[in-house]
Amino acid sequence: KNQVEQSPQSLIILEGKNCTLQCNYTVSPFSNLRWYKQDTGRGPVSLTIMTFSENTKSNGRYTATLDADTKQSSLHITASQLSDSASYICVVDTGFQKLVFGTGTRLLVSP
Amino acid sequence: SQTIHQWPATLVQPVGSPLSLECTVEGTSNPNLYWYRQAAGRGLQLLFYSVGIGQISSEVPQNLSASRPQDRQFILSSKKLLLSDSGFYLCAWTRTGGNYGYTFGSGTRLTVV
C-alpha cells in the first residue's frame, strides 16, 4: 500500500531556531517528491520538488533532502520566523496523475 | 502568469441538498485539473482528475461527480449531499507532462448539516 509517513506530528520551536521535519515513504512507482506548506484554511503551496537523482533542493530558508535508497526525505527550516507556522506536507508523485500525501507536520513558531 | 480560482470559500449545506463547486484556471491552456478532499487529520485524497475537456477520471467511488465543460473549468457536484461529504475541498492544476508543480486553489470548506 502506498504510504507517506511524517514525523513529528506537531512541533513547537522558538523564533530564530532551526528545525527538521521527516518523511518516510513506501510509494511505487516514484516520479518525484514534493514538500508543501499549508496555512490553516488555505491550499498547499509548493516549496520544493526533487526527482530520483536529486539529493537536496533549497528554496530560501527551506532545504529538502532525499535519500531514494532508504526512501526518506527531510525538510530543514533555518532561522525560523513566525510566518513559518503552518502544516508541512510531504507528497510523493507516482507520475500517473496520482500524488500520495502525508498527513503533515504542524509547526508552530513561538516568539 | 497562471492563477487558479476556486469558490465559494465556505459553504454550509443541509443533508440532501445539491452541491456545485467551481474551479477555473487562467493563463494556461490544456491543464491537468484535479479535485482533492482533505478530512481533518488526514492527507489529501484525490477525488477526480481530468486531462482534457469532457474527460474525467474518478479515483474514489462516492456521492460526488465532476465535469469539465471548458478547457480551464472544473466543476465538482453532488445531487444529494451526505454528512460524510463535509470536508475541505481543493482544486489543483498542473501542466501536462514532466515534473511540474501542482498549484492548488484556496479551498472550499464544506459543512453538511
Side-chain angles (χ1 to χ4, degrees):
Chain A
K1 180 181 178 182
N2 286 336
Q3 275 189 314
V4 175
E5 296 181 347
Q6 293 186 243
S7 62
Q9 194 171 32
S10 62
L11 181 63
I12 302 175
I13 62 173
L14 291 175
E15 186 179 11
K17 298 296 185 181
N18 304 335
C19 68
T20 300
L21 314 181
Q22 300 292 340
C23 172
N24 296 333
Y25 62 93
T26 53
V27 178
S28 181
F30 176 94
S31 176
N32 57 72
L33 185 143
R34 307 160 184 258
W35 282 94
Y36 283 87
K37 176 185 179 185
Q38 184 176 22
D39 293 315
T40 302
R42 308 290 294 178
V45 174
S46 181
L47 295 176
T48 61
I49 301 174
M50 289 182 292
T51 60
F52 185 89
S53 59
E54 295 178 292
N55 300 120
T56 185
K57 181 73 70 77
S58 290
N59 178 2
R61 295 179 295 103
Y62 301 102
T63 300
T65 65
L66 174 63
D67 185 333
D69 292 331
T70 61
K71 298 188 177 182
Q72 295 179 326
S73 177
S74 67
L75 180 69
H76 186 74
I77 304 175
T78 303
S80 61
Q81 300 176 359
L82 297 179
S83 59
D84 293 331
S85 296
S87 289
Y88 292 83
I89 305 173
C90 177
V91 185
V92 177
D93 187 345
T94 65
F96 291 92
Q97 309 295 344
K98 294 182 182 178
L99 304 179
V100 183
F101 288 78
T103 54
T105 291
R106 185 175 295 277
L107 173 67
L108 175 63
V109 179
S110 176
Chain B
S1 62
Q2 300 88 12
T3 56
I4 181 169
H5 302 281
Q6 185 181 344
W7 68 92
T10 59
L11 192 59
V12 180
Q13 291 284 97
V15 170
S17 64
L19 173 73
S20 181
L21 303 181
E22 189 163 344
C23 172
T24 60
V25 180
E26 295 179 355
T28 188
S29 59
N30 195 32
N32 292 338
L33 296 171
Y34 307 83
W35 277 110
Y36 285 89
R37 178 168 59 197
Q38 187 174 35
R42 302 184 64 180
L44 275 73
Q45 179 187 41
L46 179 63
L47 301 177
F48 301 94
Y49 69 90
S50 171
V51 298
I53 297 174
Q55 187 280 329
I56 306 294
S57 295
S58 174
E59 287 298 301
V60 181
Q62 61 218 321
N63 187 41
L64 302 169
S65 62
S67 61
R68 184 171 178 173
Q70 300 181 46
D71 181 43
R72 290 167 289 178
Q73 183 185 29
F74 206 23
I75 298 173
L76 182 69
S77 304
S78 174
K79 293 182 178 178
K80 289 184 177 182
L81 284 169
L82 305 172
L83 288 174
S84 57
D85 292 324
S86 294
F88 191 51
Y89 290 82
L90 287 158
C91 179
W93 78 274
T94 186
R95 287 190 179 90
T96 302
N99 293 318
Y100 296 110
Y102 284 64
T103 301
F104 287 83
S106 53
T108 295
R109 173 72 59 191
L110 172 66
T111 303
V112 182
V113 296

